[in-house]
Amino acid sequence: MNTVQGIVRMHMRDKWSWIYLPWVIVLSSFAINLLIAVLMADDEKIVTGGLMSIFIYMLVSGIVAVHHTFPFALGLSVRRKDYFAGTLIMILAVSAASALVLMLLSYIESWTDGWHTDLFFFHLPYVSDGNAPQQFVVFGSLMLFMYLLGFAISSMFRRFGKTGLYAASIIGLLLGTLLVYGSIYWGWWNGIYDFFQGRSAFNLALLLLPLSALLALGGYALLRRSTV
């Protein structure tokens, strides 16, 4: 347990990457959009997708965190199991804290009618339709998924190197292409549309949780067999 806590503390030393930088990115995007909304000064409602910047950053952060810290941890004779547990705790904590802040900003934006400028950056249609706990789950689940996707990608690189990562990317692209063609040829689009139509963002966020668990287990399995 002490080793796991040590891994968490190791990650916490890089507060800039884990905590500060994602908010610098998303708040910079928000400030630009707010300035545009103020300058426009009309009654038109502005809905922007700038919030996605923080989720994209989480994907990149999940990749970079393993790349930077895994060899260092192994150099200190840390077990892969302990490294995985400590990193997962850090990912869960950052995802939960970030989701809480996003939820609060969403409510503030709603209460102030888009910061009195009709700008909706955090409070988005469909995404923010649920109550406070549901919004927390939506933000947290997506953030966790992006972190663990990055973690799994970086773990694959650690296990198979560049060749394996390139091969997995090509296979994924081919499977995606076949899926699109299959959907067109056999008319699967109606079924896919029906699947998503009746589900809220909260329902879809719940469906992401088992996928996140699979990514975590897959990443751990890859790290267990990696060299450095």
Side-chain angles (χ1 to χ4, degrees):
M1 187 61 185
N2 290 333
T3 306
V4 174
Q5 292 174 350
I7 295 298
V8 175
R9 287 196 295 269
M10 177 187 70
H11 288 305
M12 282 297 297
R13 288 175 182 171
D14 189 14
K15 291 185 177 66
W16 175 253
S17 298
W18 281 96
I19 301 173
Y20 301 139
L21 186 55
W23 287 102
V24 168
I25 293 172
V26 74
L27 292 178
S28 297
S29 177
F30 168 68
I32 293 172
N33 281 276
L34 183 61
L35 177 60
I36 293 173
V38 171
L39 293 177
M40 288 179 63
D42 55 27
D43 295 330
E44 184 178 352
K45 182 178 179 180
I46 302 174
V47 179
T48 173
L51 184 60
M52 279 303 299
S53 59
I54 193 171
F55 297 103
I56 295 172
Y57 176 85
M58 298 309 177
L59 170 66
V60 176
S61 181
I63 295 173
V64 172
V66 177
H67 179 72
H68 284 172
T69 61
F70 183 66
F72 176 75
L74 260 60
L76 297 177
S77 300
V78 173
R79 295 182 303 175
R80 289 169 171 79
K81 179 174 68 174
D82 293 335
Y83 173 82
F84 171 76
T87 304
L88 183 60
I89 290 172
M90 187 67 183
I91 290 174
L92 288 169
V94 171
S95 298
S98 301
L100 180 61
V101 174
L102 289 176
M103 182 199 71
L104 293 174
L105 288 172
S106 173
Y107 269 96
I108 293 172
E109 189 168 83
S110 177
W111 293 334
T112 58
D113 292 325
W115 315 100
H116 304 295
T117 62
D118 285 328
L119 169 67
F120 291 91
F121 186 93
F122 300 100
H123 190 82
L124 302 174
Y126 184 70
V127 174
S128 304
D129 286 348
N131 55 33
Q134 289 175 335
Q135 289 190 44
F136 173 81
V137 171
V138 169
F139 289 131
S141 177
L142 180 55
M143 199 162 293
L144 180 64
F145 176 81
M146 297 298 282
Y147 254 127
L148 291 174
L149 178 59
F151 180 87
I153 291 172
S154 193
S155 299
M156 180 174 292
F157 173 77
R158 284 289 162 195
R159 175 64 181 90
F160 297 109
K162 292 181 180 179
T163 304
L165 191 59
Y166 291 153
S169 300
I170 293 172
I171 292 172
L173 181 61
L174 290 174
L175 291 175
T177 303
L178 290 174
L179 178 62
V180 171
Y181 277 112
S183 299
I184 296 173
Y185 184 79
W186 283 293
W188 295 342
W189 289 120
N190 290 333
I192 295 173
Y193 176 78
D194 291 339
F195 177 82
F196 286 100
Q197 184 184 22
R199 286 174 169 80
S200 64
F202 174 69
N203 296 140
L204 296 178
L206 292 179
L207 292 176
L208 272 183
L209 293 177
L211 295 179
S212 298
L214 289 175
L215 287 173
L217 293 174
Y220 175 59
L222 291 168
L223 285 184
R224 286 198 63 181
R225 291 182 165 273
S226 66
T227 51
V228 176

